[in-house]
Amino acid sequence: MSLILLAHLLTGAGFGFANALLTNTAVSGLPPSRAGVAGAITSTARQVGAAVGIAVAGGLVAGTDSSGIPAASRPGWLLVAGCGVFLLAVARAAQSAAAVTSRDASGRSRD
């Protein structure tokens, strides 16, 4: 039981830290007149992702008795961890691409 509580605590903290950064990144990438659209798209993507994640997690543990839920949910947690690693890789690649673009545009590095 304590392991489940710890997992939920870490998940909640991760969502809390990620949501502000995602919204800020989406809104700052567009002109102020389009900031509402960016916020709406970010919010929609978050809601769709949560719904799909809940559906996948429910599918993984469906038909499992209460003693088998921890083992049945392990692939779901691995999927969440994999998505986190993928997100970090995409963010790193986007950051590198932005640095190259700004360097090409100005003829020198802005770092």
Side-chain angles (χ1 to χ4, degrees), residues 47-110:
Q47 291 174 14
V48 168
V52 170
I54 290 169
V56 168
L60 290 171
V61 298
T64 305
D65 63 351
S66 61
S67 64
I69 289 179
S73 64
R74 196 165 289 130
W77 287 111
L78 292 173
L79 179 64
V80 168
C83 288
V85 170
F86 176 72
L87 179 63
L88 288 173
V90 169
R92 190 66 156 153
Q95 185 181 24
S96 297
V100 168
T101 302
S102 68
R103 191 175 24 223
D104 289 345
S106 67
R108 58 189 158 99
S109 176
R110 291 185 185 185

